[in-house]
Amino acid sequence: MDVLTLSRLQFAVATYFHFLFVPLTLGLSLLVAIMETMYVKTGDEEYKRITKFWGKLFLINFAIGIVTGITLEFQFGTNWSRYSVFMGDIFGSLLAIEATLAFFMESTFIAVWVFGWERLSKKMHAAAIWIVFIGSNISAFWILTANAWMQHPVGYSLNNGRAELASFLDVITNPYAFLKFFHQLPAAYTVGGFFVMGISAWHILRKSNVDFFKKSFRLAAAFTFIFAVVVVITGHLSGEEVAKYQPAKLAAMESLWNTEKPAGMSLLVIPDPANERNSVELLKIPKLLSLISHFSTTAEVKGLKAFPKDERPPVTPVFFAFRIMVGIGFLMILLAFFAWRWQDKIENYPKFMKILIWAIPLPYLAIELGWTVAEVGRQPWIVYGLMKTSHAVSTAINTPQVATSLIAFTLVYTLLGIADFYLLFTFARKGPKEN
Amino acid sequence: MLNITWFILWGLLWAVYFMLDGFDLGLGALMPLYAKNDTEKRMIFNAMGPFWDGNEVWLITAGGVTFAAFPKTYAVMFSTLYTPLLMILFALILRGVAFEFRSKIENPGWRKIWDWCLIVGSFFPALLFGVAFANIFKGIPFDVQGMFHGNLFTLLNPYGLAGGLFFLFFFFMHGALWASVKTTGMPAERAKNAASKLWIIVLILAVIFLIYSKFATSLYNNYMAHPIMFIIPLIAVIALIMVRIFISKSDWWKAWFASCVTIVAVTYFGLGGIFPNLYPSSLDPAASLNIYNSASTQGTLKIMFVVVLLCIPFVIAYQTWHYITLRHPVNEDIIHDDEAY
């Protein structure tokens, strides 16, 4: 394999792995902040125990998110140096702002929160976890703005062989970023929600600390339902954005080969990229794709064949990632709806609780698939329409170097992942500390 | 002017990074010297526990700011230093996780694994940052295309190693001083004892490094041209002497502060020598990346300057508050604390 392929694989490993931990950080920090606020407001010691129990799981997860984040920043320079030169003027500043504005805040106040139980007033202590939550969301805003620029570059001009900043305002008000933010964050909150509901259900089923976990469950149920609905709505709006700015990605997401006007959508499809067609295409609903992508029953939707072969994303992974993500999205609404409806008598629904335990990985899976759609769907471009991924890779590195680091990443990350999930399982099962 | 300001800020981020992470790298690497049993080890972990993460963000910011202000330097530096940088990265990953994971499980084997992650993961960054920066002072073998003509062993030349050892032992001493103020009992005693011995080694290595720099690099050219700049190494020397004075007075906090000042001054001494270069090439002066030919546009530099001007004072304020709030020395009771590492 060449440096390009290896570097892409390494970036994929680093990103997918990092993103197993970040969503829970985002989601659970909000829930823990709410829990501690309940404690401050009511003075009920049970809420303090709840905060501490979920807080411990939060911290185990948080550590890996932090350390694997450094990899992502380093990699733009180590493996994608031509990309860094080409768009450092814009992309670099967004990363630097993320660090100055968010990372310091997160890292400092999480330590204050962990070690400050005895040293700060109750309110100040609760404020610390809110600041961590705000910090991690600010961080998400800047990194998504940076990513949105790669999807839909705005506010730049091409000079001196690179993309130079023309309007900072345009860059930070990129509509693409806005929708990504309101799609990605609620998605992360549902990860936190299903995590709390699933673990609570496990304990309620075993009749351990029932009151404690019913309280936790109730905090998470409505929360999860609301955000599960928001995810689907903003996901739909993001789709419209893709249709406008990245028609090739849309065509791959739907495995649409020929341009149609209006375009229909088949419920059952198996793509056959070798022959530029679908080997299975059943249950076609006319006009549906035009309707959901352009909100019109007559709009034209471009098919993959409308694009040169070397400008089409890989169809099969993008198509399936998208379909499965959407399926999970609707399933999550359904599950969260019943969780919310039955939250006060959840112990009467043991079968449903078992489903909720197994539902913990669902939002994780949806998020990873969502990234697949966004990133693989953008190929062959690293910056849509401006720079191809193959032109972005570093020239100063060689195959043995990258092969070694890829193996090392895979190995180290696998071991860390195992250790982390082992700890999460252990502490989740153990339940809260006795009074 | 803006480019020069950014050079100073860029240097500041690296200097503060070395000043802060320096003590927890140095302390982590020498943990077995100060801690002989599990309780003492936990004291050491908790002496660094609330700070290592915030300290490391200075590195992330230094990297991010290099990317933002001098993208070409960022690109060429990170890709030509691929192997050492990734070694640092893996080390930082493993030691970071060690903090969170180590004491969660009461199994000696488990704890031993994470102890080693801390030790090795602290040792290598301390050494490699020194090797990397010494090589930067000397010039890195890359051409106009940004192609690297060398390998990891090219960097392990005598001058690079002299820089590496200087950094390593400086961080050892800095960490020993931190353990002196942040722990109690035997670990503090051992650390205090070690600090005064380490100081002599640091002094010797500093002298070697300063003299060696005269022959291996052109760092002194800027100083000869502008003798006023000698004030920077002078501050470093005075601060290093102050470290010794405060050690002999058992005034450990002040000794640690003096050590902080020395690190900042040493960093600026080197960077002052390569100015206006950021990443000099040893092969071809035309390939060297400086604050003009590798910079972002003036617009980006201005916006980033405003961001930094607005944010960094706040960061310094709340990190200082954080250090003050959690400055209390760690004692043996820490192991009964539910939140402790």
Side-chain angles (χ1 to χ4, degrees), chain A residues 80-344:
Chain A
W80 305 97
S81 67
R82 282 190 288 169
Y83 165 83
S84 302
V85 172
F86 181 67
M87 52 178 292
D89 198 45
I90 296 164
F91 193 86
S93 50
L94 298 174
L95 288 197
I97 294 174
E98 183 191 14
T100 11
L101 218 56
F103 291 162
F104 279 119
M105 215 153 109
E106 264 184 289
S107 60
T108 307
F109 285 93
I110 193 66
V112 168
W113 187 75
V114 175
F115 294 93
W117 280 102
E118 309 300 326
R119 287 171 196 277
L120 297 172
S121 71
K122 272 191 199 174
K123 274 189 184 160
M124 202 47 223
H125 192 264
I129 189 77
W130 278 108
I131 294 173
V132 172
F133 163 72
I134 293 166
S136 57
N137 281 264
I138 291 177
S139 148
F141 173 80
W142 291 99
I143 197 67
L144 291 174
T145 302
N147 181 266
W149 200 88
M150 299 166 77
Q151 306 285 354
H152 176 49
V154 290
Y156 69 94
S157 60
L158 293 177
N159 299 314
N160 311 314
R162 62 178 185 177
E164 297 191 336
L165 185 65
S167 163
F168 187 65
L169 194 68
D170 285 355
V171 171
I172 61 170
T173 55
N174 188 348
Y176 215 101
F178 186 75
L179 278 169
K180 254 185 190 303
F181 185 75
F182 286 103
H183 182 53
Q184 182 61 72
L185 286 178
Y189 301 160
T190 61
V191 170
F194 274 97
F195 185 84
V196 171
M197 291 199 299
I199 293 171
S200 298
W202 191 86
H203 283 280
I204 297 168
L205 271 173
R206 276 158 192 75
K207 309 228 176 333
S208 78
N209 292 289
V210 174
D211 284 344
F212 179 100
F213 283 107
K214 274 189 73 179
K215 246 180 185 162
S216 303
F217 191 94
R218 272 200 299 270
L219 282 170
F223 172 97
T224 314
F225 175 62
I226 293 166
F227 288 117
V229 173
V230 176
V231 173
V232 170
I233 294 171
T234 53
H236 167 71
L237 295 174
S238 304
E240 288 188 355
E241 213 68 5
V242 170
K244 227 189 294 175
Y245 300 122
Q246 297 180 312
K249 184 191 271 184
L250 181 79
M253 281 156 68
E254 297 298 344
S255 192
L256 182 72
W257 293 96
N258 297 306
T259 303
E260 293 182 17
K261 187 185 173 177
M265 190 192 225
S266 302
L267 294 186
L268 206 63
V269 176
I270 295 175
D272 177 10
N275 298 310
E276 301 192 323
R277 64 186 183 96
N278 296 326
S279 51
V280 177
E281 209 175 278
L282 294 169
L283 303 170
K284 186 156 183 164
I285 302 171
K287 298 181 184 176
L288 184 59
L289 184 53
S290 293
L291 187 66
I292 55 178
S293 61
H294 293 279
F295 202 63
S296 141
T297 50
T298 53
E300 177 188 270
V301 178
K302 278 214 169 100
L304 284 156
K305 286 185 192 168
F307 302 93
K309 270 192 180 170
D310 62 350
E311 288 183 13
R312 295 179 198 164
V315 179
T316 312
V318 176
F319 170 79
F320 282 111
F322 179 64
R323 284 274 160 122
I324 298 170
M325 173 186 76
V326 171
I328 293 175
F330 283 106
L331 181 61
M332 285 184 349
I333 293 184
L334 198 72
L335 290 173
F337 173 74
F338 285 107
W340 170 59
R341 280 229 23 206
W342 295 337
Q343 60 177 353
D344 292 321

Side-chain angles (χ1 to χ4, degrees), chain B residues 123-142:
Chain B
F123 180 89
F124 280 101
L127 179 74
L128 289 173
F129 274 121
V131 171
F133 270 79
N135 275 287
I136 292 172
F137 298 160
K138 190 162 107 45
I140 305 272
F142 67 92

Side-chain angles (χ1 to χ4, degrees), chain B:
Chain B
M1 197 56 218
L2 200 53
N3 297 57
I4 296 174
T5 312
W6 267 107
F7 182 86
I8 296 168
L9 281 172
W10 180 75
L12 184 72
L13 291 167
W14 284 107
V16 176
Y17 170 65
F18 292 140
M19 168 185 118
L20 292 178
D21 218 22
F23 77 75
D24 61 59
L25 291 173
L27 182 51
L30 285 192
M31 180 187 70
L33 210 62
Y34 312 135
K36 303 293 179 195
N37 57 43
D38 191 60
T39 305
E40 290 178 356
K41 281 180 189 161
R42 290 190 66 181
M43 287 167 71
I44 299 288
F45 268 95
N46 284 283
M48 305 179 271
F51 309 107
W52 71 269
D53 184 4
N55 295 348
E56 221 168 270
V57 174
W58 288 90
L59 171 66
I60 302 178
T61 308
V65 160
T66 314
F67 197 174
F70 307 109
K72 198 162 181 196
T73 294
Y74 170 77
V76 175
M77 183 194 272
F78 278 53
S79 58
T80 49
L81 296 180
Y82 190 88
T83 306
L85 260 177
L86 285 183
M87 286 169 73
I88 289 175
L89 181 66
F90 282 115
L92 292 178
I93 289 175
L94 290 174
R95 77 184 288 272
V97 176
F99 281 98
E100 194 57 49
F101 284 10
R102 181 198 184 269
S103 300
K104 291 269 183 310
I105 304 275
E106 262 186 72
N107 171 313
W110 169 272
R111 289 188 172 182
K112 203 165 196 172
I113 293 173
W114 297 112
D115 286 346
W116 278 107
C117 284
L118 178 78
I119 296 162
V120 176
S122 303
F123 180 89
F124 280 101
L127 179 74
L128 289 173
F129 274 121
V131 171
F133 270 79
N135 275 287
I136 292 172
F137 298 160
K138 190 162 107 45
I140 305 272
F142 67 92
D143 61 25
V144 189
Q145 265 79 45
M147 292 295 285
F148 184 51
H149 296 271
N151 54 45
L152 183 60
F153 299 100
T154 323
L155 302 175
L156 297 177
N157 53 66
Y159 181 70
L161 287 172
L165 287 176
F166 179 41
F167 264 55
L168 183 67
F169 277 88
F170 209 122
F171 289 175
F172 281 169
M173 180 188 77
H174 201 42
L177 292 172
W178 184 254
S180 305
V181 293
K182 268 297 283 182
T183 60
T184 52
M186 283 313 286
E189 284 314 307
R190 294 185 192 113
K192 286 170 185 173
N193 207 343
S196 49
K197 287 176 189 151
L198 285 165
W199 185 86
I200 298 169
I201 304 176
V202 171
L203 181 71
I204 295 168
L205 289 169
V207 170
I208 294 174
F209 187 72
L210 282 177
I211 296 172
Y212 204 162
S213 296
K214 176 81 186 100
F215 300 102
T217 75
S218 44
L219 284 186
Y220 286 101
N221 292 358
N222 278 347
Y223 291 86
M224 293 306 184
H226 307 278
I228 178 82
M229 284 174 66
F230 273 109
I231 198 159
I232 303 171
L234 191 68
I235 293 174
V237 171
I238 294 173
L240 188 59
I241 294 168
M242 294 305 284
V243 173
R244 184 72 195 97
I245 294 173
F246 288 126
I247 287 177
S248 57
K249 286 184 178 166
S250 292
D251 204 338
W252 301 101
W253 271 111
K254 283 187 188 152
W256 182 74
F257 278 123
S259 175
C260 288
V261 174
T262 320
I263 292 179
V264 172
V266 166
T267 311
Y268 270 118
F269 163 69
L271 298 180
I274 58 170
F275 180 87
N277 282 331
L278 294 155
Y279 198 62
S281 162
S282 61
L283 295 181
D284 178 3
S288 291
L289 296 166
N290 62 40
I291 59 171
Y292 304 107
N293 70 7
S294 78
S296 283
T297 54
Q298 292 295 307
T300 297
L301 291 181
K302 265 183 213 152
I303 289 169
M304 285 307 300
F305 186 62
V306 173
V307 171
V308 166
L309 215 58
L310 289 176
C311 293
I312 293 294
F314 275 104
V315 171
I316 293 174
Y318 63 65
Q319 282 208 338
T320 308
W321 169 77
H322 162 66
Y323 269 81
I324 292 173
T325 311
L326 300 172
R327 70 182 181 283
H328 58 280
V330 170
N331 59 32
E332 288 179 7
D333 296 335
I334 189 78
I335 57 165
H336 304 300
D337 182 353
D338 197 33
E339 271 73 39
Y341 286 136

Side-chain angles (χ1 to χ4, degrees), chain A residues 47-96:
Chain A
Y47 279 118
K48 187 177 180 184
R49 285 175 72 220
I50 287 181
T51 310
K52 284 202 167 188
F53 171 75
W54 296 105
K56 186 160 252 172
L57 298 181
F58 170 79
L59 290 170
I60 294 170
N61 172 76
F62 186 73
I64 303 235
I66 293 285
V67 294
T68 54
I70 315 174
T71 313
L72 293 184
E73 192 206 52
F74 274 31
Q75 279 206 79
F76 292 110
T78 51
N79 293 67
W80 305 97
S81 67
R82 282 190 288 169
Y83 165 83
S84 302
V85 172
F86 181 67
M87 52 178 292
D89 198 45
I90 296 164
F91 193 86
S93 50
L94 298 174
L95 288 197

